[in-house]
């Protein structure tokens, strides 16, 4: 998915964003920036289910979530 057209200067800091997700109960196996300008994680949600989630790097909102 395409998450934002905003310049990277308006994006949240990658490290701080990952720290917030961990504090919210996520376990991150892999983190990357996609070609659609999303922050994408592979890992587990609070319930321990495997997830692949795309976030807007600007406001941190979920754009797409797949639970396996």
């Amino acid at each position: 998915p395409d998450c934002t057209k905003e310049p990277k200067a308006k994006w949240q800091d990658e490290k701080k964003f990952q720290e917030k997700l961990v504090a919210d109960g996520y376990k991150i196996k892999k983190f990357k920036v996609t070609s659609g300008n999303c922050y994408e994680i592979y890992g587990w949600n609070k319930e321990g289910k495997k997830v692949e989630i795309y976030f807007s790097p600007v406001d941190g909102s979920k754009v797409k979530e797949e639970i396996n």
Side-chain angles (χ1 to χ4, degrees):
D2 285 329
C3 292
T4 187
K5 300 278 189 241
E6 293 286 349
K8 290 200 175 198
K10 293 192 176 183
W11 291 17
Q12 295 183 40
D13 178 78
E14 287 182 33
K15 189 171 187 293
K16 287 182 181 159
F17 184 74
Q18 291 177 67
E19 287 170 355
K20 182 187 179 303
L21 290 177
V22 171
D24 288 346
Y26 289 92
K27 289 186 179 144
I28 300 170
K29 180 179 179 184
K30 184 176 177 185
F31 177 91
K32 69 180 195 175
V33 178
T34 68
S35 58
N37 291 328
C38 303
Y39 283 168
E40 179 185 15
I41 68 158
Y42 295 91
W44 295 267
N45 65 11
K46 297 167 205 163
E47 291 78 39
K49 295 185 176 153
K50 274 189 157 179
V51 291
E52 177 181 346
I53 309 174
Y54 297 83
F55 295 93
S56 165
V58 177
D59 64 11
S61 62
K62 281 185 198 174
V63 174
K64 182 179 176 188
E65 179 176 20
E66 294 176 18
I67 299 174
N68 301 322

